[in-house]
Amino acid sequence: MKTKKNISLAIVSIICLALFGCPKKKNPEFLLHFPVSILVQNTSTAATISTIHLGYNNSGSLMSINQVSGVDSKNWTLNYHPYGRLKNASYDNGGSINCQYYLSYDTSNNRLNKVTKQGKTTDMLNLNYLTGSSTYVGSSGTLDGVRIKVNASGQLDNIQNWLLGANINLTYLSNEKGLFANKVLDESVVVFMNLFSESGLTDYFYHSQQISNVIYSGDTHTYQNYVRDDKGNITSFDRTNGAGNDRSYTITYKEIQL
């Protein structure tokens, strides 16, 4: 009788060890690689221009952006509604500028239709979405008259009449993965960050397809020399426009289990 009891206890122990004693294997189906840092350097001198650090919440949504350029620091914090759209955002430069942005949506199509800025200065941008051209048209405030168009993948195609009247057009290689191919950002994030980020982040990394060139108010920036790891993630690329301000980018990824 004692022998049977010992055998039973041994079997239970083996089962418990199998269930709780061994580390669980990660399910590759939900294992993704997200960019967590981007090093921006001068192509000619290799001098560091800035480093961008990216953070994510438990759902894998982009939560924080920290850009360090010398002694300057620019910081974004993003907060979301439970269904994934951007709810509000805050920005500070580690000093005197501290802004809060509140986003509203059109209940008929769930598209972003207003951004209210509060802080040292206040501002408001109304956005009307034109379905036929996939374009947001802005009215009132500093960005009055701005137009931002997104493509079928929900990423930026062009901005017209942006800050100081700038126009930006982007071209992609649709069959090649971009930096955010593993985590396609919600359209609300793409629209908001490309409209309100003024620190050179506009054409760096908010895209699921590979950028080939960006025309900024007539000045063409070519993106080339892409290098990828064995999983297809972009680890480096260059930007050139022949004006002596060529840039090289190095990207670091983190394995994230969702």
Side-chain angles (χ1 to χ4, degrees):
M1 198 72 178
K2 188 179 286 187
T3 302
K4 286 185 177 181
K5 186 175 181 182
N6 289 339
I7 292 172
S8 298
L9 287 172
I11 292 172
V12 170
S13 299
I14 291 170
I15 292 173
C16 289
L17 183 62
L19 289 175
F20 306 110
C22 298
K24 293 182 179 179
K25 290 184 178 179
K26 293 181 178 180
N27 187 343
E29 200 173 326
F30 300 102
L31 195 61
L32 299 174
H33 294 85
F34 290 177
V36 290
S37 73
I38 303 173
L39 173 65
V40 186
Q41 296 173 292
N42 182 297
T43 302
S44 300
T45 66
T48 296
I49 296 169
S50 66
T51 305
I52 303 168
H53 301 282
L54 309 170
Y56 304 87
N57 62 20
N58 291 334
S59 300
S61 297
L62 182 63
M63 182 181 65
S64 63
I65 306 168
N66 168 247
Q67 182 180 21
V68 180
S69 305
V71 296
D72 295 328
S73 177
K74 299 178 175 69
N75 308 292
W76 283 94
T77 301
L78 310 178
N79 297 297
Y80 296 83
H81 290 286
Y83 38 85
R85 290 195 298 273
L86 190 60
K87 182 179 182 181
N88 56 62
S90 61
Y91 168 83
D92 73 79
N93 68 345
S96 59
I97 300 177
N98 196 328
C99 305
Q100 301 286 332
Y101 297 83
Y102 301 92
L103 286 72
S104 302
Y105 294 84
D106 187 330
T107 55
S108 65
N109 60 15
N110 294 321
R111 304 275 183 174
L112 181 64
N113 70 351
K114 184 167 71 173
V115 179
T116 303
K117 172 189 172 185
Q118 296 180 357
K120 190 172 182 179
T121 60
T122 60
D123 203 359
M124 185 177 72
L125 176 66
N126 294 310
L127 290 166
N128 180 34
Y129 182 74
L130 306 180
T131 305
S133 59
S134 303
T135 300
Y136 293 82
V137 180
S139 60
S140 78
T142 305
L143 292 176
D144 184 45
V146 71
R147 298 171 69 91
I148 182 167
K149 182 181 179 181
V150 295
N151 63 22
S153 299
Q155 59 189 355
L156 177 66
D157 256 5
N158 65 62
I159 300 178
Q160 298 174 19
N161 196 30
W162 190 49
L163 295 169
L164 302 177
N167 294 326
I168 302 171
N169 291 287
L170 293 89
T171 303
Y172 303 92
L173 292 177
S174 58
N175 59 333
E176 296 287 356
K177 295 199 313 181
L179 267 65
F180 267 91
N182 291 327
K183 173 57 184 177
V184 179
L185 298 177
D186 189 84
E187 187 174 297
S188 60
V189 179
V190 174
V191 171
F192 174 78
M193 290 304 300
N194 280 293
L195 281 176
F196 289 92
S197 174
E198 304 172 18
S199 56
L201 298 177
T202 306
D203 58 349
Y204 285 175
F205 58 86
Y206 299 115
H207 314 285
S208 60
Q209 296 172 334
Q210 179 179 306
I211 298 174
S212 58
N213 68 68
V214 175
I215 300 175
Y216 186 97
S217 291
D219 188 14
T220 299
H221 298 260
T222 302
Y223 289 72
Q224 58 189 9
N225 301 328
Y226 283 90
V227 177
R228 299 176 182 274
D229 62 19
D230 58 358
K231 297 178 178 62
N233 301 312
I234 296 171
T235 56
S236 67
F237 62 93
D238 297 325
R239 187 200 77 185
T240 179
N241 71 342
N245 61 349
D246 297 349
R247 302 287 182 259
S248 296
Y249 302 83
T250 303
I251 302 92
T252 303
Y253 292 82
K254 181 179 179 181
E255 200 174 66
I256 296 179
Q257 174 99 43
L258 295 183

